[in-house]
Amino acid sequence: MKSLICQTLTVFRKETVAAARFKGAWLTMLMFSLTALSLTSFVFKGTATDSAILSAIYWIIIFFSAMTSVDRLFMEEEFSGTIQMLKVYGGAIPILFGKMLYGFLLLLILSIIITFLFVLLFDGNIPLENAVFFFANLILGVFGLSAAGAFLAALSASAKVKSGLFAVLMLPVMLPVLLPVTEVTTKIFEGVAFGVSALIPALLYDLVLMLASSLLFDYIWYDDL
Amino acid sequence: MEIIFENVSLSFPDKTIFSSLNINLSPGKIIQVVGENGSGKSTFLNLAAHLIRPTSGKVMAFCGKKELNGEAYRKKIAMLSPNMQLYDNLTAKENLKFFSKLRGESLDCNEIAKLWERVGLREENVRHKYAGKLSTGMSQRVKFAVFLAAKADVWILDEPSANLDDKGRSMIIKETKKATQNGALALWATNDERERNAADEIIDLSNIDRVS
Ligand SMILES: Nc1ncnc2c1ncn2[C@@H]1O[C@H](COP(=O)(O)OP(=O)(O)OP(=O)(O)O)[C@@H](O)[C@H]1O
Ligand SMILES: [Mg+2]
């Protein structure tokens, strides 16, 4: 357990170092979300926008930002042959978790930026008493998106399954996390009262994702099992 | 460690590479795998490393009487092959530290310096250099340093001296001999006559029966 955490952090650190040096991946993500945000804010300028639409826009921007970065998570390994190096010298799970952690934190930082801009641009109303809920819900959603994304990216990088898979599996894997978090966000925008229990579906799904991907990944990553 | 191929067959969709192969690989030896291009040397090594699975039959790895599988076995092997690359955007040293850390070895500066020396690299030439900017031979040496840092019991070398000069070739031979004298098992795929005399045993894949 201790070595798993240590190795996961090693992978995470390596991803961060590489990202600090080569800014392409996360800059694309940032510019994407800024463009999408400003576009929608211009279009909806001055119109009284429904909370459901606002929350859908909000999550669509986060979802697409996640996809622009997450499907690159294993790209370098896939094309440059470091994947075999990782297979021999590292275990499957720390690599998956390390990349998930990196993808998660990157997306979380971005989503926080998006959130502030969103509130600004749309004269948004996140009632202060719901701010904690809002961010808890955001974390659950972002975690689900990056965990699922990292797993799918790893799937398509491995030799066993081929490339179309990322695209095809996205819908069934992402929807169960996007639906509940968007619903909670709508309620918060509306100012409707609700309980903590509204967060449970996303939380459960996140746990299932983690568990399933860690169980499956060894089998997918290595050919010998 | 001992590796046993039991009735191993391997077919790709268009081609049968091995059929009913039975081979025992015992420790303390350099076992060279030879044969013309495309005869299946790399495939044989990948089977031994458990990186691919045979179509039928078994490749078993024993540590004494105990059979090792999955992660437990993978921790015992180190591999050097043209299919394995360093991270271009990390320096040589970062690559070395990263891959050995994944293996649970934290290298200190002394150990790193010693490894550079063993593989014949001068530290000032590699310290801050991105791996993508190294010459092919230098990057092969860095990969060999990663390999050595793993302190493995099973050495899997696929054309290890490709792109190396004469000094590099004899360095690899020397290191491999030392490891096998200490009980490691070395599997070495090559077509280079100059390496032939390092072998304790030779498996020639040109002469194996490919039809079942
Ligand atoms: N993943 C694969 N799918 C289909 N065919 C493959 C695959 N890997 C190898 N082969 C085929 O298996 C045969 C043996 O390949 P292998 O790489 O083991 O040869 P080799 O002896 O190492 O050759 P070389 O001396 O050129 O390195 C070749 O005909 C190759 O085309
Ligand atoms: Mg080969």
Side-chain angles (χ1 to χ4, degrees):
Chain A
M1 190 62 198
K2 205 179 136 211
S3 76
L4 174 65
I5 293 172
C6 177
Q7 290 166 338
T8 303
L9 289 178
T10 304
V11 175
F12 170 72
R13 217 169 301 127
K14 187 232 122 209
E15 292 295 317
T16 322
V17 167
R21 278 181 197 157
F22 297 87
K23 308 182 174 63
W26 58 266
L27 264 180
T28 312
M29 195 173 159
L30 184 66
M31 290 326 291
F32 176 91
S33 48
L34 291 184
T35 313
L37 257 175
S38 22
L39 173 68
T40 42
S41 82
F42 278 125
V43 172
F44 288 109
K45 193 102 207 155
T47 58
T49 320
D50 188 48
S51 310
I53 293 179
L54 277 184
S55 115
I57 294 172
Y58 177 78
W59 277 104
I60 286 171
I61 293 174
I62 292 181
F63 170 68
F64 276 101
S65 309
M67 292 309 103
T68 57
S69 77
V70 133
D71 84 335
R72 291 170 185 240
L73 274 181
F74 283 86
M75 202 118 101
E76 187 188 1
E77 279 82 4
E78 189 179 0
F79 292 114
S80 68
T82 45
I83 221 164
Q84 181 132 340
M85 208 72 177
L86 287 179
K87 282 184 180 175
V88 172
Y89 293 107
I93 302 297
I95 288 156
L96 181 67
F97 283 3
K99 297 228 170 203
M100 271 184 188
L101 184 63
Y102 167 75
F104 168 65
L105 288 179
L106 182 64
L107 188 61
L108 188 62
I109 293 170
L110 184 81
S111 325
I112 291 174
I113 298 174
I114 294 178
T115 307
F116 280 112
L117 291 174
F118 197 83
V119 170
L120 257 164
L121 291 171
F122 289 88
D123 310 318
N125 36 356
I126 304 174
L128 213 55
E129 68 268 21
N130 276 340
V132 175
F133 267 145
F134 186 88
F135 282 104
N137 183 57
L138 178 64
I139 289 175
L140 289 177
V142 164
F143 184 84
L145 289 179
S146 35
F151 181 57
L152 291 184
L155 270 187
S156 29
S158 88
K160 263 192 206 166
V161 267
K162 260 309 127 206
S163 42
L165 208 71
F166 186 88
V168 175
L169 281 179
M170 198 127 82
L171 179 79
V173 174
M174 299 286 184
L175 216 51
V177 66
L178 279 170
L179 280 177
V181 294
T182 313
E183 206 166 303
V184 170
T185 308
T186 311
K187 280 186 183 154
I188 294 177
F189 283 157
E190 270 171 0
V192 177
F194 65 99
V196 190
S197 58
L199 297 179
I200 289 177
L203 179 68
L204 279 182
Y205 188 67
D206 282 359
L207 291 177
V208 169
L209 264 180
M210 281 285 278
L211 197 68
S213 54
S214 56
L215 287 178
L216 280 175
F217 197 51
D218 251 340
Y219 291 84
I220 290 155
W221 188 249
Y222 291 106
D223 238 338
D224 66 315
L225 294 160
Chain B
M1 293 286 306
E2 188 178 10
I3 302 173
I4 297 172
F5 281 61
E6 194 181 87
N7 276 320
V8 169
S9 307
L10 184 88
S11 314
F12 292 117
D14 52 336
K15 196 171 172 185
T16 298
I17 313 288
F18 304 120
S19 60
S20 307
L21 198 59
N22 285 295
I23 291 182
N24 280 22
L25 308 169
S26 42
K29 281 186 197 161
I30 298 183
I31 302 165
Q32 280 190 350
V33 184
V34 303
E36 71 243 34
N37 293 141
S39 58
K41 300 183 293 299
S42 302
T43 308
F44 184 84
L45 264 49
N46 284 336
L47 281 169
H50 280 195
L51 285 174
I52 56 175
R53 203 176 8 184
T55 317
S56 66
K58 272 200 250 173
V59 179
M60 296 173 290
F62 288 95
C63 182
K65 285 246 171 336
K66 197 165 151 244
E67 190 180 352
L68 296 185
N69 263 311
E71 173 137 21
Y73 176 55
R74 233 168 280 126
K75 284 207 158 123
K76 298 270 184 195
I77 69 174
M79 188 166 182
L80 183 64
S81 115
N83 295 332
M84 296 168 76
Q85 294 301 328
L86 302 165
Y87 279 99
D88 283 351
N89 51 13
L90 297 183
T91 65
K93 186 174 171 183
E94 285 167 341
N95 268 291
L96 177 58
K97 285 180 103 167
F98 174 68
F99 287 114
S100 25
K101 202 86 177 276
L102 281 183
R103 267 303 174 81
E105 304 261 347
S106 287
L107 301 174
D108 62 31
C109 292
N110 273 332
E111 288 167 307
I112 290 177
K114 233 176 243 148
L115 281 166
W116 291 148
E117 196 184 312
R118 273 169 84 187
V119 300
L121 283 173
R122 283 155 45 106
E123 188 156 9
E124 62 265 32
N125 290 342
V126 290
R127 196 187 301 143
H128 298 302
K129 209 156 190 165
Y130 286 139
K133 301 255 157 72
L134 296 169
S135 75
T136 345
M138 281 166 92
S139 119
Q140 182 76 355
R141 285 170 193 259
V142 174
K143 283 193 256 169
F144 194 54
V146 171
F147 182 104
L148 290 174
K151 303 198 180 101
D153 292 329
V154 179
W155 283 37
I156 299 184
L157 301 150
D158 195 348
E159 301 177 32
S161 53
N163 300 308
L164 290 188
D165 49 29
D166 289 339
K167 263 198 193 143
R169 185 175 303 107
S170 40
M171 177 271 295
I172 298 231
I173 293 176
K174 194 186 87 200
E175 288 286 353
T176 314
K177 277 197 168 142
K178 202 166 82 195
T180 52
Q181 275 156 17
N182 290 327
L185 160 64
L187 256 188
W188 180 329
T190 180
N191 266 322
D192 196 323
E193 291 294 336
R194 287 168 294 185
E195 295 166 6
R196 212 45 68 79
N197 57 4
D200 296 308
E201 210 177 292
I202 287 181
I203 298 173
D204 190 344
L205 296 181
S206 308
N207 308 326
I208 57 164
D209 195 7
R210 278 176 215 277
V211 275
S212 40

